Amino acid sequence: MNRLSTDAPVIDVHQHIWPDALIEALRARQTPPRMRGWTLELVGEPDYPVDPQAHDADARAAAARDDGLDLALVSLSSPLGIESLPADEAGELLNAYHEGALALPEPFGAWAAACVTKVDTGALSREIERGFVGLQLPATSLLDSAGYANAGPLLEVLEEAGLPLLVHPGPIAPTASDQPSWWPAIVTYVQQMHAAWFAFRVHGRPRHPRLRVCFAMLAGLAPLHSERVAARAGDRSVVDRDVFLDVSSYGTRAVDATVRVLGIDALVNGSDRPYADPVSLDLGPAALRAIRSANAMRLLYPKEVFDDLAIASPA
C-alpha cells in the first residue's frame, strides 16, 4: 500500500482496478455478477465488454504517475452488487478484492469493502488494520433510516478509527430493454447519489456526528438543489466541514456551481478511472491545490493528524 512522502501530495480518491483474483472469482460464478471471458454480466445493466488493459496494475500505475499522482485510491466497483450478495457469496469476492488491492504497486492505496446483507464489524476492523484508508459502501445501502441502522456498526468502526466513508453508486434493478446502454450511468447512478446525499443529512449525520464522508460524482449534483430545499423544507443548507464530494465525471461548470453552494473546501479530486478520464478543471492554482491535495488530506486524516502534517509542512 502507498505511503505518502511529499508535503503536498496529489491525490485521486476514486479509481477502480479489478485484481486478477477478483476477475477469476467472477469468472467462476454461475449467476450475475459474473464474467464470461472479458464480458461482465450484471442483473440490471447490459453486458459490458471489459478492457483488459484497464485493469492491468502496472499499466495503471504508469498512468497514475503520468497524471502526477502521489496516491491513487481504488475501490470495489459497487454497481457489481457484490456487497449486496448473501454473506457467503459476498465473502469470497470481497476477500479476492482485498487481497488483490493490498498487492497493487505504488502509487495505489485502497478503500475497504463490506457485505451489507450480514454486517461483520470484525472483518472491517481487520482490513483497516491491514492498511485500507476507509470504507466504501454502495449508495443503495444508505438511502433511509433502515439502511443506516443496518450499516451503523460499520460506520461506528470508522468513527472510532478516525477513518472516512466513501459513498459510491450501487447496483441497479433490471431496466426496460429499450433503454440505451448509458442510462444507468447517466440516470440511475445520479438518482442514487442524489438520494444518498439527502439521506445522510436526515439519517446519517445525526447518528454519526464524527464521521467524515465523501460522496462520489458530486453527489449527483444534489447540493445544487439547496434553494429548492429551502423553499420546500424551510431548511437552508449548512456547510458540514466533514462532508466532501469528489469531482469524478464532471467538469468546470458543475464544479464551479457546487463551489458556489458549498465552498471550495468540500471538493476532492476523483477521476473514476478507468470508466472516465481525469478532467482538466479551468480553475486557479489555489483552487486546484485545494481539490487535488489539501482537501483530500482532510478527508483521509483525522483533524489532529492533518493539523500535525500542516504544521510540519514548510511555509
Side-chain angles (χ1 to χ4, degrees):
M1 299 290 282
N2 183 274
R3 294 292 180 265
L4 297 178
S5 58
T6 61
D7 295 319
V10 178
I11 301 171
D12 184 335
V13 304
H14 181 182
Q15 295 199 12
H16 302 283
I17 297 179
W18 300 351
D20 290 343
L22 176 60
I23 291 172
E24 291 307 314
L26 288 169
R27 285 174 174 160
R29 289 179 54 81
Q30 299 302 308
T31 58
R34 65 179 181 175
M35 291 184 68
R36 290 295 174 262
W38 286 102
T39 298
L40 175 67
E41 298 179 0
L42 301 177
V43 171
E45 300 193 36
D47 290 355
Y48 178 77
V50 177
D51 178 4
Q53 190 74 3
H55 299 282
D56 182 286
D58 292 333
R60 288 288 303 281
R65 290 191 292 269
D66 289 345
D67 290 337
L69 297 176
D70 297 294
L71 177 62
L73 297 178
V74 301
S75 65
L76 186 66
S77 296
S78 285
L80 272 62
I82 291 172
E83 300 99 322
S84 303
L85 291 171
D88 57 339
E89 296 182 46
E92 179 182 358
L93 297 170
L94 290 174
N95 288 339
Y97 162 72
H98 287 130
E99 292 301 325
L102 286 174
L104 290 173
E106 292 191 352
F108 292 113
W111 298 90
C115 178
V116 296
T117 57
K118 185 178 181 181
V119 168
D120 185 345
T121 57
L124 175 58
S125 295
R126 288 191 293 273
E127 299 304 342
I128 286 173
E129 290 173 359
R130 295 208 296 167
F132 287 87
V133 301
L135 172 67
Q136 176 188 272
L137 287 177
T140 47
S141 70
L142 297 171
L143 296 180
D144 51 28
S145 179
Y148 274 96
N150 181 63
L154 298 173
L155 304 186
E156 290 169 3
V157 170
L158 293 179
E159 284 186 291
E160 185 63 28
L163 295 179
L165 169 72
L166 175 64
V167 181
H168 188 283
I172 68 173
T175 56
S177 59
D178 61 348
Q179 298 286 25
S181 60
W182 50 259
W183 190 268
I186 303 302
V187 178
T188 314
Y189 294 175
V190 173
Q191 292 171 334
Q192 290 181 10
M193 296 305 298
H194 186 114
W197 170 264
F198 288 105
F200 179 77
R201 181 172 171 174
V202 174
H203 304 292
R205 179 53 83 208
R207 292 172 180 260
H208 303 283
R210 296 179 294 147
L211 183 65
R212 300 191 309 284
V213 57
C214 179
F215 291 84
M217 45 181 283
L218 290 178
L221 299 182
L224 301 191
H225 292 264
S226 59
E227 293 169 322
R228 184 171 177 82
V229 173
R232 293 300 183 95
D235 182 15
R236 290 196 173 274
S237 294
V238 176
V239 175
D240 185 332
R241 286 186 54 80
D242 287 328
V243 172
F244 301 81
L245 303 91
D246 86 37
V247 301
S248 58
S249 75
Y250 287 99
T252 302
R253 285 182 295 179
V255 168
D256 181 71
T258 306
V259 168
R260 292 174 185 271
V261 176
L262 298 178
I264 193 68
D265 291 344
L267 303 188
V268 297
N269 183 43
S271 67
D272 197 21
R273 271 193 187 274
Y275 309 114
D277 292 327
V279 175
S280 179
L281 298 174
D282 186 16
L283 302 173
L288 291 174
R289 178 185 173 95
I291 292 173
R292 302 189 76 196
S293 182
N295 296 348
M297 294 285 282
R298 288 194 300 108
L299 166 66
L300 296 175
Y301 295 103
K303 183 178 185 302
E304 57 273 17
V305 174
F306 178 80
D307 289 345
D308 288 343
L309 291 171
I311 292 171
S313 297

